Amino acid sequence: SADGGYAVGNSPGNATIQASWYTFETVGFEVCEPYQQQIVRTASVTVQPPSVNITPFEVVGKDGTFSVPVQVTGNPNGSEITLELTKLSGTGESRFTNGEASTIQITASGNYEIKGVTESSAKDNYVIKAKLNNAELASESFSVAKIKISRSVGTGQPTEIAAATDTIVGERIRLSAEVVPAGIAVSNHLWTLPGSVMKDYVVTPTSGAMSPVDPLDAANVDFVWFDGADNREVEYQGTVNGYALIGKATFNVKRPEASVITVSTSNSSTTIDDATGQLELHYGLDTAQTAGIRFSLSSIAIPSTFSGEKQWVQIINRNVTITPVGGNPGNISQTGLDGCYPFAGNVNSTWDSPGFPLGPIEYIDANTQWTMWLMFKPSGADSAWVPLRKVDWRWLAKAQLTNSNWTLVSHTNPNQPSQPTDSDATSFPLWSVRILSQSCQ
């Protein structure tokens, strides 16, 4: 009888299996005698290595991690397979997160995490290999890549942002993002901008508007901050072969400290006379010394290394009821730019004395609100005006013509502020119509 046997391959290669046994037979003519014979047989066997498949990928982000799917089949005895990270040329480093090593041992399929340490100097100059007893089973080339964020100032060339950068509200920020090393295709751009941002503050002869930042899904972004804070982190994210690469740049956004605007109303009596050259219901006289309301900036501290200019802008919201002589009451309700842009005065002070001519009318009721804005624009190409402070104020006046004589009528309104209100400005003067037109320089 013959018994079978089993053999287990320990490593890939060729092997010869040999079996031998004896047979007995009877030979002879007249006298039979037993005869023994040895039989030897051989067979060549090829031992196949495990099959390893590394899912193709393109990049590992610098300072980031990436899970590489590795599939192992045909390894019933759990032979140890070496995963090895090797630099082919130039610069760049990567490590397995398990032990911070360039090699790890595996026996089965899994997702094995790689961390990018420093970026490559050339595309595809890093490789991951699977080996068994120094025999290569599979490999995939990749790059250790980073997002480089650069800034352009004026017409200058883009400069990479390598450290926290000081800027100031209103200063134009033009950023671009690219992948290092070059030659790697990136898609699905997306910028994240902290704080209050805009594309621009746009003033035309008839309107003042703030345009939003658009788009945020491109390789470049152009914007202006109009509020301040340190350690603001701008983030860019792009997709490479389904993998998110992220770049960041830190800004310290400075903002001038404008002290409280001093408001003077020493000549704020509401009067009916012809001191302006015509019979008028008015609030002071429109000169620096006799104005109904005067605004003076006590001081402004512009952060060192920066400079800029200031201007005043005033928005009016008026609701006026007027009754013509012998007619019916009519109402004027308007919101818009008060007079000119910018408002008259000098950079540190301005004033206002609203009034209404008393022509062929017999009754007027004026309920008018204003906001006076102090604006700032930093020096530099293509900077934008941004708000610093504002003063909300109001004028209520009512007059009646009786027997050819004008008299003031008591005007009580619980919404009238007792004092003009000065505050930090966090929004913009916006308008779509110009009111109280006058000759503007």
Side-chain angles (χ1 to χ4, degrees), residues 2 8 38 41 44 49 70 90 169 231 234 252 267 287 355 373 376 399 426:
V8 176
Q38 185 180 25
R41 294 290 186 267
S44 296
V70 179
V169 292
N231 298 313
V234 172
N252 298 317
N267 295 288
T287 70
W373 304 78
F376 170 80
T426 57

Side-chain angles (χ1 to χ4, degrees), residues 78-91:
S79 297
E80 284 197 339
I81 298 168
T82 300
L83 290 185
E84 178 183 85
L85 296 172
T86 305
K87 181 167 50 182
L88 299 177
S89 63
T91 63

Side-chain angles (χ1 to χ4, degrees), residues 285-292 294 351 353:
L285 294 173
D286 199 14
T287 70
Q289 293 74 33
T290 61
R294 297 191 298 277
W351 58 88
S353 293

Side-chain angles (χ1 to χ4, degrees), residues 7-11 47-48 50 72-80 106-108:
V8 176
N10 290 321
S11 62
V47 180
Q48 298 291 344
V72 179
T73 56
N75 192 26
N77 297 313
S79 297
E80 284 197 339
I106 69 170
T107 59

Side-chain angles (χ1 to χ4, degrees), residues 201 203 258-264 293-300 309-315 337-352 371-377 385-393 421-423 425 428-429 431 440:
Y201 180 57
V203 175
S259 60
V260 174
I261 297 173
T262 301
V263 180
S264 174
I293 186 168
R294 297 191 298 277
F295 309 89
S296 299
L297 177 62
S298 299
S299 66
I300 182 171
E309 53 185 310
K310 306 182 293 292
Q311 69 180 13
W312 301 92
V313 182
Q314 183 157 266
I315 302 296
L337 178 68
D338 184 2
C340 301
Y341 175 87
F343 197 76
N346 61 58
V347 294
N348 291 316
S349 64
T350 189
W351 58 88
D352 198 9
T371 302
M372 179 67 78
W373 304 78
L374 175 67
M375 308 289 288
F376 170 80
K377 184 173 76 169
W385 288 102
V386 295
L388 293 184
R389 298 198 72 83
K390 66 176 183 176
V391 177
D392 294 307
W393 62 286
T421 305
D422 166 75
S423 62
F428 280 77
W431 70 91
C440 300

Side-chain angles (χ1 to χ4, degrees), residues 47-243:
V47 180
Q48 298 291 344
S51 174
V52 177
N53 179 66
I54 302 173
T55 300
F57 63 104
E58 193 168 352
V59 298
V60 173
K62 179 179 178 290
D63 299 324
T65 59
F66 180 74
S67 292
V68 182
V70 179
Q71 184 179 21
V72 179
T73 56
N75 192 26
N77 297 313
S79 297
E80 284 197 339
I81 298 168
T82 300
L83 290 185
E84 178 183 85
L85 296 172
T86 305
K87 181 167 50 182
L88 299 177
S89 63
T91 63
E93 295 292 337
S94 66
R95 295 285 185 270
F96 289 105
T97 58
N98 181 12
E100 299 292 321
S102 60
T103 62
I104 59 172
Q105 305 299 318
I106 69 170
T107 59
S109 300
N111 293 323
Y112 300 99
E113 197 168 70
I114 299 174
K115 180 177 72 174
V117 180
T118 58
E119 70 271 17
S120 303
S121 56
K123 184 175 180 291
D124 293 334
N125 74 333
Y126 229 85
V127 66
I128 180 173
K129 296 180 180 180
K131 293 181 176 181
L132 180 61
N133 296 331
N134 292 322
E136 185 175 310
L137 305 179
S139 69
E140 282 293 333
S141 295
F142 65 96
S143 309
V144 182
K146 76 167 186 177
I147 295 293
K148 182 176 77 172
I149 296 180
S150 300
R151 180 185 181 188
S152 301
V153 178
T155 59
Q157 292 298 311
T159 301
E160 182 178 5
I161 300 174
T165 302
D166 287 350
T167 185
I168 192 169
V169 292
E171 187 173 57
R172 180 73 47 194
I173 307 293
R174 289 189 176 93
L175 301 179
S176 59
E178 61 180 305
V179 182
V180 177
I184 299 173
V186 61
S187 61
N188 300 326
H189 313 279
L190 181 63
W191 292 91
T192 300
L193 306 177
S196 299
V197 297
M198 65 175 180
K199 177 65 177 294
D200 211 348
Y201 180 57
V202 181
V203 175
T204 71
T206 58
S207 68
M210 184 179 66
S211 55
V213 180
D214 183 41
L216 292 174
D217 57 354
N220 306 303
V221 68
D222 182 340
F223 67 99
V224 165
W225 267 297
F226 58 90
D227 67 338
D230 285 348
N231 298 313
R232 280 196 170 152
E233 197 169 67
V234 172
E235 180 179 291
Y236 166 86
Q237 178 174 306
T239 303
V240 177
N241 194 28
Y243 173 66

